[in-house]
Amino acid sequence: MRLRSFIVRDMAEAMTLVRREMGPDAIIVTTRATEGGNLEVRAAVEAKPDGGAELDPDAASRGPLAAAGLEPESLGRIGAILSAHGVEGEMADSLGRAADSLDEDSPVAALALALETRFRFRPVSAALDGAVVLIGPAGAGKTSAAAKLAARAALNGESARLVCADWARAAAPDQLRRYAEATRAAFDVAEDLDALARIVDGAGEDEFVIVDAPAANLYDRRDVAAMVDLIDAAGADPVLVIDSGMAREEASMLARRAGELGASRAIASKLDAVRGRGALVSLARPGGLAYAQFSATPYLGGGFAPATPLRLARFLLEDPSGGESDLVWEEETAA
């Protein structure tokens, strides 16, 4: 990842500068007041695939943790915070020790590097995914996730098509139609599997198709069989949408079931409504599903972002009791 420091008058200027210099995916990981009354902010962004990003050239001269005003022992608390979130003990200890061993300025960056070596991150993208089917249990937030994916596509100047394949809820088509209107996406209702196949096959070459599937009990044979048929008809990649407040054991089992249906990614929803976030780690245990997106608001306008190690680290280092952890400072996404 790439790290840079900026001296600014206030957070508004920091957001503008970070966005301009480092791009929309950068996040601010530390802030501190300077003697002159300004702010020193330190921002990070994931390295580009070609590895061309460079570290902040001033970091070495300041020494580890100095720029952030931290003491080295603060990193030793990472494992304890993860455990408080409900992360399984061995995993919390392993991640904490890995983060402790890294010579990083920020606990957020240290944990992000530890997460990056153990988990996979593969966001759903209109540019890379021609069509996806959102699957999951009732109340997981599939319809909202579909609308947010369409909104993200619109912000990027891409075309999206929302397809309602939820035959179980009478109100489902009207709800998704309203979301389509709000996000300027095309809209279709698939009355049956044949209609679903025609809609997906007939979509424009540059159109991102998002299929909102009915709620499914992935432990019920009939629901699983029906979901297999729907995924086959759509010919699209299934993506699990999961409530972040779920118990970690349930999240792990649900992720396994979704994997058996062909899902390789998960969207974590309702992060704004939960404090303990152990399920986030369980659903994508090493070798399990990849993180796709994180949703931290019920609104379409924001709080829905591609999953990255930095964003996951930020969520996991928030104080699960409801306050702000001593290891976490005011941080904003420049997205």
Side-chain angles (χ1 to χ4, degrees), residues 17-35:
L17 192 59
V18 168
R19 183 183 296 113
R20 187 181 71 212
E21 297 294 328
M22 301 182 71
D25 291 325
I27 65 172
I28 294 172
V29 294
T30 65
T31 65
R32 73 175 184 89
T34 67
E35 292 183 359

Side-chain angles (χ1 to χ4, degrees), residues 3 30 42 56 58-75 99-107 110 329:
L3 301 170
T30 65
R42 191 157 175 78
D56 176 10
D58 297 328
S61 63
R62 286 195 299 271
L65 306 181
L70 296 175
E71 297 299 327
E73 59 266 27
S74 65
L75 288 179
D100 290 348
S101 69
L102 297 169
D103 189 20
E104 269 300 330
D105 290 354
S106 158
W329 306 268

Side-chain angles (χ1 to χ4, degrees), residues 8 10 14 46 96 123-124 126 130 137 141 167 170 188 201 209 211 220 225 253 284 292 302 308:
V8 294
D10 51 35
E46 306 297 333
V124 174
W167 305 301
D188 280 301
D201 289 344
V209 180
V211 180
D220 182 272
M253 181 61 72
T308 69

